[in-house]
Amino acid sequence: MSSVSEKDKERLAQAAKIFFFCIQDLASFTNTFIDLFNCNMNTQILSVTARQDCNVNNFFEQMVQVVKEMQSVVDAKHAKMQKEPLYSKIATTLFSMVEKDSNLMALQQSAKELFKNNFEPAIVSLLNSSHILGSLETSLSLLMKCPIMNLQLSDFYRKDIKEQSDATTSEESMSPRPSENTITDTLKKLAEALKTENAKNTIESAADQLEQIVKTIGPNLEILKTVTKTMETNISELKKDSNE
């Protein structure tokens, strides 16, 4: 077997492993985002799962469904805000207090109470103006057209199971890496799923395609990281302001 062939096999195996952990990260960041969204928007959107036996297409379907649900909530709340702007609520409260000859400190306290623990306007404005959810849905929908959707995550990489249960054998827990047979099966499945017509080297072609898919997932991860961090920062600042 030529060195080039071995190099291509290593590339495909590495791309498969990276893809596996990209999906794990995608699920993790998405669930953090969902938790923040549910906590502050009074929703009950379900978390996504990315088990090793999970079908890739099913995982992306979960992701798209979550994004659509969030977008629906944001659209509804934004429409309500447009009909009943928040500043009108503040004005009504303040004018009412002015009529009662309240002092400035009381007016400020009233405004803080109005915003206390209510971060919906800030979150709605962030998600609506940035079009983040729409971008995510478009990108995820395009990824679902990739030819690997019918595979399971375990077809890409099988993470060692260590100390998961008392039934785990010492041989399993000490295994440093997947067996050669497992790697060979993985490469065969990926090469078959990603095969293209007239490809002289199916392993090389599969590696090229999977590396490109991994690159496409990258921006989705960055979007989720950014929006989650931004929401956490904004909420923290709003809480600080309301408590001062």
Side-chain angles (χ1 to χ4, degrees), residues 58-151:
N58 289 346
F59 171 75
F60 279 103
E61 284 182 343
Q62 289 180 67
M63 290 283 298
V64 170
Q65 181 61 32
V66 163
V67 172
K68 285 183 175 180
E69 287 184 43
M70 287 183 170
Q71 186 66 67
S72 178
V73 171
V74 169
D75 288 344
K77 291 184 180 292
H78 183 258
K80 185 177 180 180
M81 284 169 58
Q82 293 298 102
K83 291 179 181 179
E84 189 179 0
L86 197 61
Y87 65 75
S88 68
K89 293 183 180 180
I90 298 174
T92 299
T93 302
L94 296 185
F95 286 144
S96 174
M97 295 192 71
V98 168
E99 290 176 352
K100 297 177 182 178
D101 295 324
S102 299
N103 59 35
L104 180 60
M105 185 175 294
L107 294 177
Q108 292 174 336
Q109 184 60 36
S110 176
K112 289 180 180 179
E113 287 298 319
L114 189 63
F115 285 111
K116 192 173 184 179
N117 297 323
N118 179 17
F119 310 117
E120 281 189 8
I123 295 173
V124 169
S125 297
L126 168 66
L127 296 180
N128 182 72
S129 62
S130 63
H131 306 293
I132 285 173
L133 295 175
S135 297
L136 270 175
E137 183 180 349
T138 299
S139 182
L140 292 169
S141 297
L142 288 173
L143 278 166
M144 290 179 71
K145 296 180 180 180
C146 296
I148 57 174
M149 289 295 114
N150 290 328
L151 298 178

Side-chain angles (χ1 to χ4, degrees), residues 9-27:
K9 287 172 63 178
E10 290 175 6
R11 279 182 56 215
L12 181 54
Q14 182 65 15
K17 181 178 179 180
I18 293 174
F19 176 84
F20 177 92
F21 284 105
C22 276
I23 296 299
Q24 297 285 316
D25 287 345
L26 199 57

